[in-house]
Amino acid sequence: MSSVPVRVIQLEVPISDAYALESVGKRGFAIEVGPQPNGVLRADIFNMVKETVDLTLEWLQEFNSGHSFEGGTVEAYTLVKSVDYPRDSAGKITAAIHQDLQDNDFKLLRSGDPIFLTFAGETLMYEGEDLYPYFVNECAYYEKKIAFHLARKKTFSFPSICAKKD
């Protein structure tokens, strides 16, 4: 799908913590398209998901029919940690995502870059290893106490594959 950015996120979640396809199989994958407001059906997002599912099913059909696929490389983001919003002693959020971080998913975050703006007007800076933030300020993660995830970018090599036919 060259019309939209496609990114691979590798999560190594213990099976006991899994809650999606990976909980019923050896490996799983998810297709996530977003962000979009909850309860809103957007034609562009619907069509992206439909195209993604159609292409996935087409690939699976070709693989199951014995088609060979050439090996190569893929760039992926591997989860390092999740970052919560700053909170007070009662657990209430005390800062918003800084405007320089907002909408900058998958762009390198360096030590000293702003990440939060407190409600008192103070800018809080990131301290740590240079990593890639993603799912920045996603409303679905508020209840999980996650402001954003941080990942390393890696390049993975994969071999040529072909289903064995009996």
Side-chain angles (χ1 to χ4, degrees), residues 98 127 137 165:
H98 193 277
E127 295 177 13
N137 202 24
K165 299 297 276 180

Side-chain angles (χ1 to χ4, degrees), residues 98-108 132-134 136:
H98 193 277
Q99 63 268 19
D100 291 350
L101 178 58
Q102 184 65 53
D103 301 322
N104 282 303
D105 298 63
F106 301 103
K107 293 183 183 170
L108 188 62
Y132 294 84
Y134 66 95
V136 176

Side-chain angles (χ1 to χ4, degrees), residues 40-93:
V40 174
L41 178 59
R42 290 179 40 165
D44 59 338
I45 300 293
F46 174 84
N47 287 325
M48 274 190 266
V49 172
K50 182 177 182 330
E51 181 181 1
T52 302
V53 170
D54 289 347
L55 288 169
T56 302
L57 292 172
E58 180 182 314
W59 186 93
L60 289 168
Q61 180 64 39
E62 287 185 32
F63 178 77
N64 289 335
S65 298
H67 183 88
S68 295
F69 291 90
E70 199 173 305
T73 61
V74 66
E75 197 173 76
Y77 296 86
T78 59
L79 177 66
V80 173
K81 65 181 179 179
S82 300
V83 177
D84 190 8
Y85 293 88
R87 296 177 184 272
D88 64 18
S89 58
K92 302 279 189 207
I93 293 174

Side-chain angles (χ1 to χ4, degrees), residues 2 7 15 59-60 67 71 76 84 88 97 112 131 135 147 153 159:
S2 60
R7 296 187 179 88
I15 196 72
W59 186 93
L60 289 168
H67 183 88
D84 190 8
D88 64 18
I97 295 292
L131 295 169
F135 296 168
K153 185 164 50 169

Side-chain angles (χ1 to χ4, degrees), residues 8-24:
V8 175
I9 300 170
Q10 181 190 24
L11 302 173
E12 292 295 333
V13 178
I15 196 72
S16 59
D17 294 340
Y19 54 87
L21 284 177
E22 71 274 11
S23 68
V24 295

